[in-house]
Amino acid sequence: MTKKISILIVDDEESVRDSLFNWFIEDGYHVAVAENANKALSMLESESFDIILADIKMPGMDGLEMLRRIKILKSESIVIVMTAFATVDTAVQALKDGAFDYVTKPFDPDDLSHLIRNASKQITLSEENESLRTKVLTLENVEDLIGESEPMKRVLKDIENVAQSNSSVVITGESGTGKELVAKAIHSNSSRKFFPLVSVHCGALTESLLESELFGHEKGAFTGAMYNRKGRFEMADNGTIFLDEIATISMKMQIDLLRVLETKKFTRVGGNKEISSDFRVICATNRDLKSLVEKGLFREDLFYRLNVVNIFVPPLRERIEDIPLLVDYFIRKYCLSMNKPPLTIDSSALKRLEEFNFPGNVRELENMIERAIVVGNGKKITLKDLPLEKTMITSSVESLDDLEKSHIYMILNKYSWNISRAAKALKVDRVTLYNKISRYGLKPKE
């Protein structure tokens, strides 16, 4: 519903107030009148008006002084000044003081109506912009990071804590856990959110390509370099650069990266001009960087430069209680994108998903649900729509010990580390379960 624009008419001449009042009432505006500036300012303390038509020549406080006070009191109000004694200096002063426009008496009805319509459009546009801004701000949430489990609450809390800082962040976790989503959430909740989030998958590029990708290159720098090209650091100016699979970069790139992080300056490949860029760096890896440092495969100084804050994203098997929420989210997502009516999932199928190990984590679950929606024909996703057995065969878990360890850990978490219930589910006695917990070094997540 369109908002009714309100107008306050301030003029010491009763005939002007009455004529304008009737005029704008007929045009559908909410209208009020005041016979002098003091009365108008008093009204503005208790009521807001979108447009104020103010006469300049009034006894006591004149229209220009009232304009200045209105801009202090209600800066968003649009003020149009009116006078029968127009001069260029007065008009210029009124506009300098923040008047929307300037009209002279006697008024041309069409011109004045047109002016009020223009002012109304500006008000509507400003409100729409504010509404859009509010919507943008609400997009700062982390809606794609689905989960209400304690591990996910910790991740969300970490994001909240680190977002407003400018510190470097390393996000760790197994493949498919959603590390890039965490990076996006940090960026969209930071002061850099209106600037780019630039992502680079370091593991997908050779050293020379990664160098060109990060720093850019000049025309002729190498065969095929036909044009100057900005690098990702340059593109991320004022924003955030996300370096995925950071553990894969070469020792030379580690040195180059450390230098850029410390100086925020670099040169393009084949160039001489030093370029500055103000960016925040967020990295992700599924490997243990500290272990790589100890083995001499990752520079210690770079590790400490990057790992100011560490956020660990838990594997799906450690937050089984989130699976129903994730399943529901992915069903709605893919039904919508495939223009299919909303589906549900059979309880036995959901139970099997909750028992599954998910070596591919959330990404694997998402792929399963997408496939089930593609191949399924009913109103429910059932066991036959889920490639659970096939996925088990292609699992990255190769040894029986690894498989047993993961399965026991999953069951323990499922029953909140109630040993009796977990042992019953595993069909072993409590002593056997205790022995296996000790053997695999399993312990509840803190």
Side-chain angles (χ1 to χ4, degrees):
M1 191 170 115
T2 306
K3 174 194 167 188
K4 198 170 189 176
I5 297 292
S6 58
I7 301 174
L8 175 62
I9 299 161
V10 191
D11 199 303
D12 59 321
E13 293 183 56
E14 185 176 2
S15 60
V16 174
R17 295 197 304 271
D18 290 347
S19 63
L20 290 178
F21 179 86
N22 293 323
W23 194 336
F24 292 124
I25 283 287
E26 284 186 12
D27 282 351
Y29 297 100
H30 169 70
V31 189
V33 297
E35 62 271 24
N36 56 53
N38 287 325
K39 175 75 181 297
L41 291 171
S42 176
M43 292 172 70
L44 285 167
E45 287 179 359
S46 57
E47 188 176 0
S48 292
F49 291 92
D50 299 307
I51 301 170
I52 300 162
L53 276 166
D55 191 20
I56 284 185
K57 294 288 184 185
M58 290 186 289
M61 187 187 305
D62 67 15
L64 290 178
E65 177 59 24
M66 185 181 75
L67 165 63
R68 287 188 280 270
R69 296 196 184 193
I70 288 173
K71 284 300 168 185
I72 295 172
L73 188 67
K74 304 274 184 182
S75 61
E76 71 279 8
S77 295
I78 283 182
V79 180
I80 298 171
V81 294
M82 326 178 274
T83 186
F85 310 99
T87 67
V88 173
D89 289 344
T90 308
V92 169
Q93 188 59 53
L95 295 174
K96 277 185 176 178
D97 289 341
F100 178 76
D101 212 331
Y102 186 91
V103 294
T104 56
K105 299 176 182 177
F107 308 118
D108 179 295
D110 290 335
D111 287 347
L112 188 55
S113 291
H114 182 70
L115 183 58
I116 294 297
R117 281 198 298 274
N118 283 345
S120 300
K121 284 179 184 174
Q122 177 163 312
I123 292 164
T124 303
L125 188 60
S126 296
E127 290 176 347
E128 287 176 352
N129 287 341
E130 183 60 29
S131 173
L132 284 172
R133 184 174 180 277
T134 303
K135 286 179 181 176
V136 167
L137 291 177
T138 59
L139 288 177
E140 295 171 343
N141 61 35
V142 288
E143 62 182 8
D144 288 334
L145 288 167
I146 307 296
E148 295 178 350
S149 61
E150 285 304 317
M152 280 309 293
K153 285 179 181 175
R154 282 196 290 273
V155 171
L156 297 175
K157 187 64 180 174
D158 287 344
I159 292 170
E160 182 184 347
N161 290 339
V162 77
Q164 287 302 319
S165 75
N166 205 33
S167 303
S168 301
V169 180
V170 173
I171 305 166
T172 54
E174 295 178 8
S175 295
T177 49
K179 296 188 288 298
E180 186 166 2
L181 292 178
V182 173
K184 287 178 179 175
I186 294 171
H187 173 75
S188 62
N189 283 276
S190 74
S191 58
R192 297 174 179 269
K193 62 190 170 190
F194 296 114
F195 295 93
L197 168 64
V198 179
S199 299
V200 183
H201 194 297
C202 301
L205 301 168
T206 63
E207 181 181 283
S208 57
L209 283 176
L210 182 59
E211 182 182 29
S212 173
E213 195 68 24
L214 290 177
F215 305 123
H217 62 251
E218 297 289 329
K219 179 181 177 182
F222 49 82
T223 303
M226 300 175 68
Y227 307 97
N228 293 342
R229 186 175 184 275
K230 284 186 177 181
R232 298 301 179 99
F233 283 125
E234 203 171 341
M235 294 178 190
D237 191 22
N238 293 311
T240 304
I241 187 163
F242 173 57
L243 303 176
D244 200 4
E245 299 300 340
I246 187 67
T248 62
I249 66 173
S250 67
M251 290 303 284
K252 177 185 179 302
M253 281 305 303
Q254 291 179 33
I255 295 169
D256 292 344
L257 179 57
L258 181 63
R259 187 181 303 122
V260 173
L261 294 178
E262 289 179 345
T263 64
K264 297 292 177 72
K265 294 178 181 177
F266 53 91
T267 56
R268 292 177 183 166
V269 176
N272 298 312
K273 181 182 174 184
E274 195 170 63
I275 298 169
S276 297
S277 180
D278 175 27
F279 56 84
R280 179 188 196 174
V281 64
I282 300 176
C283 300
T285 179
N286 57 7
R287 302 177 67 181
D288 182 353
L289 280 184
K290 200 162 187 178
S291 170
L292 294 178
V293 170
E294 291 168 357
K295 294 174 183 174
L297 299 175
F298 200 87
R299 290 182 64 94
E300 185 175 23
D301 45 9
L302 179 60
F303 170 74
Y304 287 114
R305 185 68 183 78
L306 293 173
N307 197 49
V308 178
V309 178
N310 183 278
I311 296 179
F312 171 70
V313 187
L316 188 53
R317 62 181 174 276
E318 292 184 15
R319 53 187 190 105
I320 298 165
E321 59 267 49
D322 289 335
I323 288 179
L325 289 174
L326 286 161
V327 168
D328 181 61
Y329 174 76
F330 292 135
I331 287 176
R332 284 188 284 110
K333 175 181 174 180
Y334 286 104
C335 284
L336 186 65
S337 67
M338 296 177 198
N339 199 27
K340 285 193 170 188
L343 300 178
T344 57
I345 185 165
D346 183 79
S347 59
S348 59
L350 181 60
K351 186 171 184 298
R352 283 287 288 117
L353 289 174
E354 291 174 320
E355 292 171 350
F356 193 61
N357 189 48
F358 284 108
N361 290 296
V362 179
R363 186 184 297 138
E364 184 176 12
L365 173 62
E366 180 174 4
N367 291 344
M368 274 190 193
I369 299 301
E370 181 182 2
R371 178 190 179 280
I373 293 172
V374 171
V375 302
N377 294 315
K379 293 181 179 178
K380 282 189 174 184
I381 294 173
T382 61
L383 267 176
K384 66 180 176 53
D385 302 321
L386 299 171
L388 289 167
E389 301 308 322
K390 182 179 177 183
T391 307
M392 184 73 84
I393 292 170
T394 58
S395 163
S396 61
V397 178
E398 294 182 346
S399 75
L400 287 174
D401 278 357
D402 286 345
L403 190 61
E404 184 180 60
K405 177 183 176 182
S406 297
H407 185 65
I408 291 172
Y409 192 66
M410 179 192 71
I411 294 298
L412 286 167
N413 282 321
K414 181 178 180 179
Y415 292 102
S416 304
W417 282 73
N418 183 313
I419 301 299
S420 296
R421 293 180 63 194
K424 186 177 180 182
L426 292 165
K427 297 184 179 177
V428 298
D429 57 49
R430 288 162 51 89
V431 174
T432 301
L433 181 54
Y434 273 122
N435 287 336
K436 289 187 180 294
I437 290 172
S438 174
R439 175 184 173 192
Y440 294 127
L442 300 175
K443 56 184 178 181
K445 198 78 179 174
E446 293 180 358

